[in-house]
Amino acid sequence: MQLSGNLLIGRQSVFGGNGTIHAVHASTGAAIEPAFGGATLDDLDRACALAWAAFDTYRETGPDVRARFLETIAQKIVDIGDDLIERCMAESGLPRTRLEGERGRTVGQLRMFADVVRDGDYIGARVDPAQPERKPLPRVDLRLRHIGLGPVAVFGASNFPLAFSVAGGDTASALAAGCPVIVKAHSAHPGTSELVGRAIQQAVVDCALPEGTFSLLFDSGRDVGQGLIKDHRIKAAGFTGSRGGGMALMQLAVARPEPIPVYAEMSSINPVLLFPHALKNRGETIAGAFVSSLVLGAGQFCTNPGLVFAVDGPELDAFIRAAAAAVENTAAQTMLTPGIRRAYENAVERTGAQEAVTTAARGLDPTAGHQGRSALFVTSAEAFRGNPALQEETFGASSLIVRVPTLDVMLELIESLEGQLTSALHIDEADYADARRMLPALERRTGRILVNGFGTGVEVGHAMVHGGPYPSTADGRSTSVGSLAIHRFLRPVSYQDLPEALLPDALKRDNPLGLNRRIDGKLRLAT
Ligand code: NAP
């Protein structure tokens, strides 16, 4: 499929006049054709105007229309075929099997949100019928539903060029909520972005939706991304990336005359806690699984296990030996971009130079350009306690094992951690009592707590939380993965004493949408 390098603004496809960007081969750093035109501030203004004009129509589309739209996008992404996978492999350096799996996840997410829209529970319809006879005062008729927040800006992630980019989880959940979306493409995969963007643009046409339902912009600098956040017609944003990038956008969002939420997923080191019985009985097996998780996808997962706490002793020595041996046998892997690889190697060097940190192992030497070597470090509880730099995320296959003298100290160190996406406990039955002691501290700072596993591998479902207190995300009350992600882009509206003719369908007396509704506080299932 021929790429144009064009911006997609509503129904238009135009070459941006504000400089150009090129994708580069992740493995060689060589530029890949074609050039992509950066959007001007006029392009940004047009996309925002169209999105705003589309909002009232799009948010009132019925469940079948909106669900069919999401399913059409999914099908059109599948229909792009191998061109999508090949372009994405070149731009990201990720292997075919990973990207085929990621495409499956992307279309699966879109179809899941189609089901969510048809089901209608996300509307959260509530009815408190009027009680004209109530004494001493009659009660008014109150009805509540959730509506979309407004146009949403989405910043595609470098590490999920399909599942968290143009048609990824943020876009799918915002569209499901009834919000038009403007995507600021990640500069690392513009070709992948155009292919997916065109699939969405065509789906808008096929489903006869307002053209401003979707736009895709390329940014040759930072003005367009920042301009999106500042534009008064944008009402929320989804972002996955660095802490610096997320914080910059959050600060712009709160400085607006009308501040807006930025759902930023930023940094997490995902602590792994090894409990004494599990370590004694299965230490080497856990070490093998730990290293497999650590090096998966060159460690470029937000759920990468970057920190391990375990009680010091011969069992921990054996664990470190086994993990170090596995790391030493790990091939270097191509990273997403030359810049990310540079940032990784610098961070590894910084960690190795910290006081009381020893390098337990490095992976095999690179065999080609822009490959990252995995790294394993060991330190003491005392050194970890006194050095906040050891809590900083290293984006890549690097982890730090902390020897703790007792489980009490482990608990104290957990209490010192920042917010996390995941925490993993490795326990046998004899460890349950100790694990129970840690749970309240973990719950306070973690989105997902798991047992005898690792956080890499994020199931897309209804009970998933991929979120957590700051800095893992900007707002720990939300998730960016799973059906609950739709709630980031909704807000409740209450209607008092509206005549039937003015009520939205979700709240009409005869329940034409067949929704489950809470009537006078009691859940009434649709029959
Ligand atoms: P990034 O630099 O934060 O960029 C993410 C997106 O935000 C890109 O579209 C970028 O634009 C834009 N952006 C960043 N800073 C901005 C600013 N000040 N103003 C306006 N737009 C801004 O993240 P990245 O490129 O994906 O990777 C770099 C680092 O992010 C990694 O080394 C890693 O530390 C971290 N990361 C973390 C996660 C996670 O899930 N925790 C995931 C991916 C990356 P451009 O495309 O123009 O750069």
Side-chain angles (χ1 to χ4, degrees), residues 256-498:
R256 290 171 35 136
E258 179 200 3
I260 55 167
V262 174
Y263 294 101
E265 191 204 309
M266 297 173 286
S267 77
S268 180
I269 53 174
N270 307 300
V272 174
L273 316 179
L274 305 179
F275 284 77
H277 291 90
L279 190 59
K280 183 164 174 225
N281 298 334
R282 312 179 274 119
E284 291 194 13
T285 311
I286 299 170
F290 160 64
V291 174
S292 299
S293 171
L294 176 67
V295 303
L296 193 70
Q300 299 164 123
F301 287 111
C302 36
T303 47
N304 196 50
L307 179 68
V308 179
F309 289 154
V311 177
D312 206 359
E315 285 86 11
L316 179 56
D317 292 339
F319 174 89
I320 293 171
R321 273 197 304 277
V327 165
E328 277 164 3
N329 281 321
T330 304
Q333 296 177 69
T334 300
M335 299 196 72
L336 290 161
T337 66
I340 285 179
R341 186 228 162 222
R342 255 192 321 277
Y344 169 71
E345 290 297 347
N346 289 341
V348 164
E349 203 171 299
R350 272 199 309 277
T351 303
Q354 299 293 318
E355 209 179 319
V357 171
T358 55
T359 304
R362 288 299 310 262
L364 295 168
D365 282 333
T367 53
H370 309 300
Q371 291 182 336
R373 288 168 68 201
S374 43
L376 188 64
F377 299 100
V378 180
T379 195
S380 65
E382 210 173 19
F384 185 81
R385 191 187 289 122
N387 187 352
L390 295 178
Q391 277 206 43
E392 283 171 20
E393 179 192 46
T394 295
F395 189 64
S398 170
S399 194
L400 174 67
I401 299 173
V402 181
R403 296 177 181 272
V404 300
T406 63
L407 287 170
D408 285 340
V409 173
M410 186 188 288
L411 181 55
E412 179 207 321
L413 292 190
I414 292 170
E415 293 285 14
S416 76
L417 293 178
E418 297 184 306
Q420 304 291 335
L421 293 170
T422 72
S423 299
L425 294 82
H426 287 265
I427 48 176
D428 283 355
E429 208 171 330
D431 295 310
Y432 285 5
D434 288 324
R436 191 172 292 116
R437 278 204 302 140
M438 311 280 170
L439 279 174
L442 293 173
E443 284 166 346
R444 272 186 268 113
R445 50 183 50 74
T446 308
R448 175 165 55 111
I449 298 168
L450 54 141
V451 163
N452 293 338
F454 295 92
T456 43
V458 182
E459 192 66 34
V460 179
H462 305 289
M464 172 52 70
V465 170
H466 188 66
Y470 179 84
S472 64
T473 71
D475 186 342
R477 293 167 298 178
S478 64
T479 174
S480 59
V481 175
S483 58
L484 207 61
I486 194 173
H487 286 282
R488 295 174 302 166
F489 303 118
L490 293 167
R491 69 179 184 84
V493 179
S494 194
Y495 302 84
Q496 185 171 326
D497 287 335
L498 261 68

Side-chain angles (χ1 to χ4, degrees), residues 117-262:
V117 168
R118 283 208 178 87
D119 170 81
D121 274 0
Y122 77 94
I123 294 171
R126 293 167 173 230
V127 179
D128 293 348
Q131 292 176 358
E133 312 304 332
R134 192 180 71 171
K135 299 284 184 233
L137 287 173
R139 188 173 83 171
V140 294
D141 182 273
L142 266 184
R143 288 156 194 263
L144 176 153
R145 70 165 176 162
H146 287 79
I147 66 165
L149 278 182
V152 171
V154 170
F155 290 73
S158 59
N159 59 341
F160 280 94
L162 298 172
F164 259 82
S165 194
V166 177
D170 287 340
T171 298
S173 52
L175 290 175
C179 301
V181 167
I182 303 176
V183 174
K184 201 297 269 176
H186 197 289
S187 52
H189 53 261
T192 305
S193 298
E194 182 188 329
L195 290 172
V196 175
R198 273 155 53 181
I200 304 179
Q201 190 185 43
Q202 193 54 50
V204 171
V205 174
D206 289 4
C207 297
L209 294 169
E211 63 166 325
T213 302
F214 173 77
S215 290
L216 171 70
L217 301 175
F218 299 106
D219 189 0
S220 59
R222 288 278 150 90
D223 288 352
V224 171
Q226 297 186 356
L228 257 180
I229 296 289
K230 288 193 273 191
D231 192 283
H232 65 282
R233 293 157 293 197
I234 296 295
K235 302 299 180 191
F239 166 95
T240 302
S242 65
R243 190 158 167 172
M247 285 301 291
L249 299 183
M250 282 160 65
Q251 278 158 9
L252 289 174
V254 295
R256 290 171 35 136
E258 179 200 3
I260 55 167
V262 174

Side-chain angles (χ1 to χ4, degrees), residues 41-198:
L41 293 181
D42 281 347
D43 295 324
L44 168 68
D45 182 63
R46 238 179 25 260
C48 290
L50 284 171
W52 186 247
F55 177 45
D56 278 345
T57 308
Y58 180 64
R59 73 183 172 84
E60 290 302 343
T61 47
D64 276 334
V65 172
R66 212 182 299 163
R68 236 182 313 112
F69 173 47
L70 294 165
E71 289 162 349
T72 306
I73 298 171
Q75 190 54 48
K76 286 187 182 299
I77 290 171
V78 172
D79 291 346
I80 303 169
D82 216 40
D83 285 354
L84 180 62
I85 300 297
E86 287 195 348
R87 178 77 195 192
C88 198
M89 283 168 67
E91 290 183 331
S92 68
L94 295 169
R96 170 176 288 279
T97 45
R98 150 73 197 272
L99 290 175
E100 286 175 348
E102 198 182 317
R103 176 177 57 189
R105 174 174 163 180
T106 308
V107 302
Q109 278 173 173
L110 287 157
R111 289 173 180 148
M112 177 191 74
F113 278 112
D115 290 343
V116 167
V117 168
R118 283 208 178 87
D119 170 81
D121 274 0
Y122 77 94
I123 294 171
R126 293 167 173 230
V127 179
D128 293 348
Q131 292 176 358
E133 312 304 332
R134 192 180 71 171
K135 299 284 184 233
L137 287 173
R139 188 173 83 171
V140 294
D141 182 273
L142 266 184
R143 288 156 194 263
L144 176 153
R145 70 165 176 162
H146 287 79
I147 66 165
L149 278 182
V152 171
V154 170
F155 290 73
S158 59
N159 59 341
F160 280 94
L162 298 172
F164 259 82
S165 194
V166 177
D170 287 340
T171 298
S173 52
L175 290 175
C179 301
V181 167
I182 303 176
V183 174
K184 201 297 269 176
H186 197 289
S187 52
H189 53 261
T192 305
S193 298
E194 182 188 329
L195 290 172
V196 175
R198 273 155 53 181

